[in-house]
Amino acid sequence: MAAIAAVAVLVVAMVISGGGGVAAAVTSKKPVIYIFGDSMSDVGNNNYLILSLAKSDYPWYGVDYETGFPTGRFTNGRTIGDIMAAKFGVPPPPPFLSLYMTDDEVLGGVNFASGGAGLLNETGIYFVQYLSFDNQISSFEEIKNAMIAKIGKKAAEEVVNGAIFQVGLGSNDYINNFLRPFMADGIVYTHEEFIGLLMDTMDRQLTRLYDLGARNVWFSGLAPLGCIPSQRVLSDDGGCLDDVNAYAVQFNAAARNLLERLNAKLPGASMSLADCYSVVMELIEHPQKYGFKTSHTSCCDVDTTVGGLCLPTAQLCDDRTAFVFWDAYHTSDATNQVIADRLYADMVSAGAVQGNGNVTTASTRAPRVIVAHAAPPPKP
């Protein structure tokens, strides 16, 4: 599953292209949002994959969602993307696999995220069935072709050019790949070589999205992976794993540089890195400041169980709003609310979004590239 690192949905891109026609009608007030990611932003795609082992379609997932039932979200309630969509006045984008290509819904936002996914196709392979980032991009291409069939190529291109693209991937490439002793990448590559592989892969993938019309992309940087419950139990004292946190910081720095290069190379591209590391670390180090009591273990007490998920047999904590983490990998509904509030406020203060939820245009606002906080160097 994705660690909180993905916090794929942590940020909504705030840059909407100007122009007229269909795109202006769609985006002048309410943004069209496309979400790419892993289990931090999956809203049910994996429910449609029969063989997938990365699912949350059972209690106690969804216990605090509006329906009270599991939806495929890997938390007790809403994802950060759900909360951010509400702030922008739009419903959460539906899962891609729930749509027919003849549906009118293909003209609006779509969520392609899939639990277990990574940047690399081999990441998550032991979950059997999932949509890798490459698969998700191919799914978006299907959506765009369906849009063209409905409203024509010119209008579809305008909508896509003006849309928001959220991308939150990379945590599984560490948690469920590089750091796993039975996965080849951690054996074959040094960490420097592995980051190089990830950046080369991201370069190709984001360029492919650009070629399909994406202009406004927000890539969520990794959070402090070494502090999630599933990783803390691997330390001698239950503390954060400094070397794993350092990997996340190094990844974020490399991703920032890549996005800057892509902006310089691709005309009209506005790709930014969102700093998820610092906001999540603040919640972990100072939970009481935000009304939480516990940030080192999960509400379901599943830190050491196989899979680390909140199974129906799990014993829930008495107060789910007091825990930063829902299970061994994912943040709780209450945490997602705090993160969304913090990021949205940052967007408003940056002038990237107005206080009423309307998005500023690319012609008047440049995207921010936010650098993650520093962490100790990896252990030898």
Side-chain angles (χ1 to χ4, degrees), residues 4 8 11 13 80 97 111 137 144 146 179 190 193 197 204 220 243 249 270 277 288 293 299 342 347 350 361 372:
I4 141 188
V11 187
I80 299 164
L97 292 177
N111 187 316
I137 295 172
K144 185 179 178 182
L179 297 175
T190 65
E193 292 170 339
L197 173 64
R204 172 181 59 78
S220 294
D243 53 343
V249 170
S270 181
Y277 190 99
Q288 292 81 6
K293 294 180 180 178
C299 169
R342 167 81 170 268
M347 292 176 190
T361 62

Side-chain angles (χ1 to χ4, degrees), residues 120-126 130 176-177 183 185 189 194 197:
L120 303 177
N121 289 325
E122 63 264 31
T123 293
I125 192 169
Y126 49 79
Y130 57 95
N176 288 308
N177 187 348
M183 293 293 288
D185 285 351
Y189 301 108
F194 187 64
L197 173 64

